[in-house]
Amino acid sequence: MCGIVGAVAERNVTPILLEGLRRLEYRGYDSAGIAVINPDTCLDRVRRVGKVQALADSLQQTPLKGSTGVAHTRWATHGEPSESNAHPHICNQQVALVHNGIIENHTELRNAQQANGFHFTSETDTEVAVHQIEYYLNQTGDLLEAVRLAVKDFDGAYALGVVAVKQPGRMIATRSGSPLVIGVGIGEYFIASDVTALLPVTRRFIFLEEGDIADITTESLTIYDKAGNVVEREIKESNLSADATAKGEYRHYMLKEIHEQPLCLTDVLEGRIHEGEVIDNSFGPKASEVFERLKQIQIIACGTSYHAGLVARYWLEAITGVPCNVEVASEYRYRNPVLLDDTLVVTISQSGETADTLAALRGIGDRAWKLCICNVPESSLVRESHLTLMTRAGPEIGVASTKAFTTQLMGLMLLMLAIGKHRGLDAERRHAIIEAAYQLPGQIENILSASDQIEQWADAFTDIDNAIFIGRGTLFPIALEGALKLKEISYIHADAYPAGELKHGPIALIDSDLPTVAVACNDGHQEKVKSNIQEILARGGEVYLFADESLDMSELGDNCHVMPLPSVSAEMAPIVYCVPLQLFSYFVAIRKGTDVDQPRNLAKSVTVE
Ligand code: F6R
């Protein structure tokens, strides 16, 4: 989703802004732009549709120079990707602004501003923001006051970076509903949508809170909370190095992140197990009390994180006996759901900023305990939850989630075990599951080093338009996730079904042009999956089956291609089986020549509805 960078310094900030934009490319965008206040105290701006590289090429032709500036990558919401819709937006050559989020009352504001003589050059909701600020700047003569008054007129979500030619060396930054961090340098300050943009210039960050407004110059930083009081916000040191977001030897971030999974899974376990038991405090100081008292669990998430929640429901209900619902946040937030007493709401999110998940969490108010499984410690979801478990996957740059997903699963496995301890899950079973969890990194390494067969299978998918994925039990959500990965990065339409549902409709689709990808582990459902595969084969379908190496699939014949996977317990299977499906989508996408790390139309952090 859109990315913001801004800087106030003594030096030329254009290279810093440009590098920041490159580092935000992973968020997804379709145009990019930079505006700086030049040494003659005028605004200079360059905007381009397409990649940041196109902007960089233009800057070679028309270099920009200035020590105060803002920059943006735009993911179109209101108005097509075009130069005139790209940010920064400028009003009367006086104020430049970059914006993430959506100003929902933009039509009303636009009508009022047009009546006041403001001229519009874009179709965006954002342009009303820059006009409103310029309007108040004319009245008050002070940029901070102008932003403070303007944001009172906005309904919706925003993170803003604003500069004005009459106040060079100053930038106002504010957020409500969209994330924004301030990077603290020596005699210089920066802003960005996330820390990765600023790692080459600083590792010291302040995470603005909802409604904060920051008045930033080279000499000073003053932050006001939403009530207008001056507040001190802690400076946090990031342990990420500037090359934490480098691709290294890999051709794509996605491939790098797939290969990082064994290490990431080890990191999830690190320091959270003592004498074969999950330490409750890994979730926060009050966790034991909550786990003891809870009567039901409600999981809320979106996309891949929702699939992790679906797996967790199988685990939680089957192993701990605690009733568990799972729902996509975009539905949950609007349907006035019933929450029983003593419910634990679990949100799952890589970014911790997903607008729907955050809104669903906020809608719950104080009616439940809130636990968040997340990859970004300073994110809004984490800050607004009572209990948290960080997945420690490190920055995930590929838009299609891989290591974030497997680490979420491992986090949910720890949650299941911690709750199970309070629910009579016997110690022997708990220890066996933990023992099996420690084996996972090695087993996944084995799959990663034997990917040739998966690569060969990918050839058969290069020219197809549709595919079906099937699985049963905990592997049904993995089939959903496999189908999502294929759709996202190869643009092949793929649907996933519980294998038992095929005969209730989807089997009508089966013919020799529609391949099926199936997953089967040794969980007691294998014979049923085999029967479902037989039904597909009998109708001329071709099947690509990832199956536990201990299962005999020979009777399925030549039209069922089988790739054996390491024998793992039923509990561990989802974490292992998603890995070959990730690789499979990756290899198909490579053959199709798509933009694997930044697939079309997608955004990494979905901070608008
Ligand atoms: C798919 C993917 C998305 C996200 C979804 C939720 O590969 O990454 O489906 O899972 O947008 O995002 P988070 O986990 O950040 O809440």
Side-chain angles (χ1 to χ4, degrees):
M1 208 118 285
C2 306
I4 285 178
V5 195
V8 181
E10 299 290 351
R11 52 180 163 157
N12 177 19
V13 295
T14 308
I16 298 171
L17 299 177
L18 191 61
E19 175 60 18
L21 292 187
R22 286 190 200 285
R23 291 171 159 267
L24 292 178
E25 284 192 288
Y26 79 96
R27 293 168 70 91
Y29 70 103
D30 35 52
S31 56
I34 289 187
V36 295
I37 301 175
N38 70 26
D40 300 327
T41 332
C42 297
L43 275 170
D44 281 340
R45 169 177 69 178
V46 177
R47 298 177 291 176
R48 286 293 172 265
V49 175
K51 295 286 174 190
V52 171
Q53 187 54 44
L55 180 69
D57 293 344
S58 300
L59 289 170
Q60 288 276 335
Q61 313 287 321
T62 328
L64 297 190
K65 205 165 169 217
S67 54
T68 306
V70 285
H72 192 263
T73 47
R74 172 175 185 255
W75 188 83
T77 57
H78 296 63
E80 60 176 7
S82 67
E83 219 162 284
S84 56
N85 286 334
H87 303 211
H89 286 283
I90 289 182
C91 181
N92 295 338
Q93 281 306 311
Q94 291 301 312
V95 178
L97 162 150
V98 287
H99 166 225
N100 285 2
I102 292 178
I103 311 284
E104 288 176 359
N105 58 338
H106 65 101
T107 309
E108 189 187 316
L109 288 169
R110 181 181 274 251
N111 292 341
Q113 291 170 352
Q114 276 170 335
N116 277 335
F118 281 95
H119 172 62
F120 279 78
T121 57
S122 80
E123 306 152 279
T124 63
D125 56 316
T126 298
E127 200 177 349
V128 300
V130 75
H131 291 328
Q132 202 71 354
I133 291 168
E134 159 70 354
Y135 170 77
Y136 286 120
L137 185 61
N138 276 331
Q139 290 193 345
T140 63
D142 180 64
L143 188 59
L144 173 68
E145 205 43 36
V147 173
R148 207 199 298 270
L149 290 168
V151 296
K152 286 196 183 135
D153 297 334
F154 302 158
D155 290 339
Y158 55 80
L160 298 174
V162 192
V163 297
V165 291
K166 291 212 177 104
Q167 301 179 19
R170 188 181 193 194
M171 176 168 56
I172 306 297
T174 180
R175 65 155 286 190
S176 176
S178 290
L180 198 63
V181 298
I182 296 178
V184 180
I186 299 167
E188 50 190 17
Y189 289 98
F190 313 93
I191 60 165
S193 317
D194 69 51
V195 299
T196 53
L198 302 177
L199 288 171
V201 282
T202 186
R203 284 170 61 185
R204 299 170 72 223
F205 294 99
I206 293 171
F207 295 85
L208 289 182
E209 296 195 5
E210 282 293 278
D212 279 358
I213 301 188
D215 187 357
I216 306 166
T217 68
T218 46
E219 288 105 43
S220 67
L221 166 68
T222 314
I223 301 176
Y224 302 85
D225 66 11
K226 60 174 156 232
N229 303 312
V230 173
V231 281
E232 286 294 322
R233 299 274 182 240
E234 193 188 341
I235 299 180
K236 305 224 165 133
E237 192 93 20
S238 168
N239 54 13
L240 293 173
S241 65
D243 61 7
T245 54
K247 258 200 305 248
E249 73 202 58
Y250 292 94
R251 183 167 163 197
H252 292 101
Y253 282 108
M254 183 179 178
L255 189 61
K256 174 179 179 238
E257 287 155 6
I258 289 173
H259 279 264
E260 281 173 349
Q261 290 177 108
L263 199 60
C264 295
L265 289 169
T266 310
D267 287 347
V268 186
L269 296 173
E270 178 68 35
R272 288 166 171 165
I273 312 284
H274 180 64
E275 295 182 349
E277 295 288 359
V278 176
I279 303 166
D280 285 357
N281 265 10
S282 311
F283 297 87
K286 289 246 157 70
S288 295
E289 188 189 324
V290 173
F291 296 160
E292 191 65 39
R293 284 179 48 194
L294 67 88
K295 295 207 181 81
Q296 102 163 348
I297 293 171
Q298 173 67 56
I299 298 179
I300 305 170
C302 301
T304 289
S305 300
Y306 166 70
H307 296 157
L310 288 177
V311 172
R313 175 170 58 190
Y314 283 90
W315 285 336
L316 283 159
E317 294 209 336
I319 301 176
T320 70
V322 178
C324 177
N325 293 316
V326 191
E327 192 162 336
V328 287
S330 53
E331 286 302 312
Y332 189 88
R333 64 180 286 193
Y334 287 118
R335 72 170 181 87
N336 298 325
V338 174
L339 265 177
L340 301 178
D341 286 346
D342 298 321
T343 295
L344 173 66
V345 168
V346 177
T347 54
I348 310 170
S349 175
Q350 187 283 128
S351 62
E353 300 292 351
T354 301
D356 284 321
T357 313
L358 195 52
L361 185 78
R362 287 179 179 158
I364 284 159
D366 53 11
R367 291 179 294 146
W369 297 297
K370 299 166 182 173
L371 184 152
C372 180
I373 304 230
C374 191
N375 194 33
V376 180
E378 300 304 334
S379 62
S380 303
L381 278 172
V382 168
R383 281 189 271 156
E384 296 184 28
S385 299
H386 304 116
L387 304 175
T388 53
L389 187 86
M390 289 307 119
T391 49
R392 301 172 177 165
E396 190 178 63
I397 307 295
V399 164
S401 202
T402 53
K403 61 176 180 172
F405 178 63
T406 38
T407 52
Q408 284 169 351
L409 288 177
M410 189 63 108
L412 288 160
M413 169 82 71
L414 296 184
L415 179 65
M416 180 272 286
L417 287 166
I419 292 173
K421 198 169 49 178
H422 294 266
R423 302 280 145 161
L425 176 65
D426 71 77
E428 206 177 316
R429 178 109 191 258
R430 298 199 301 265
H431 295 165
I433 293 175
I434 286 174
E435 200 47 48
Y438 278 117
Q439 307 302 319
L440 280 179
Q443 286 155 335
I444 292 175
E445 285 288 4
N446 290 343
I447 294 175
L448 293 173
S449 58
S451 59
D452 297 5
Q453 187 176 348
I454 307 177
E455 235 181 310
Q456 281 165 23
W457 282 7
D459 287 333
F461 280 66
T462 315
D463 295 319
I464 59 151
D465 296 323
N466 301 291
I468 280 184
F469 285 65
I470 58 167
R472 279 178 179 261
T474 53
L475 292 190
F476 164 54
I478 297 307
L480 283 170
E481 176 59 11
L484 180 65
K485 287 285 92 84
L486 191 68
K487 276 186 278 225
E488 283 182 299
I489 61 167
S490 76
Y491 314 147
I492 292 173
H493 171 246
D495 267 337
Y497 301 99
E501 269 297 294
L502 270 190
K503 61 173 80 65
H504 299 289
I507 202 162
L509 297 169
I510 298 293
D511 63 17
S512 56
D513 293 330
L514 180 72
T516 300
V517 177
V519 275
C521 65
N522 203 351
D523 59 357
H525 300 308
Q526 59 270 22
E527 289 308 318
K528 300 210 181 298
V529 180
K530 255 196 212 171
S531 306
N532 300 131
I533 292 174
Q534 296 279 22
E535 288 157 9
I536 294 168
L537 296 171
R539 284 156 183 85
E542 193 144 3
V543 178
Y544 296 81
L545 169 64
F546 294 95
D548 188 301
E549 62 192 0
S550 69
L551 301 177
D552 179 10
M553 296 292 177
S554 53
E555 72 197 75
L556 294 173
D558 290 346
N559 277 350
C560 181
H561 313 273
V562 184
M563 169 152 177
L565 295 183
S567 251
V568 291
S569 66
E571 293 89 19
M572 296 303 139
I575 308 183
V576 171
Y577 279 62
C578 64
V579 176
L581 294 185
Q582 295 165 349
L583 279 173
F584 176 65
S585 298
Y586 175 77
F587 291 133
V588 175
I590 293 292
R591 278 155 182 71
K592 296 204 73 161
T594 57
D595 188 346
V596 171
D597 284 331
Q598 291 163 32
R600 68 184 182 201
N601 304 339
L602 293 181
K604 182 72 185 160
S605 183
V606 186
T607 50
V608 296
E609 237 191 295

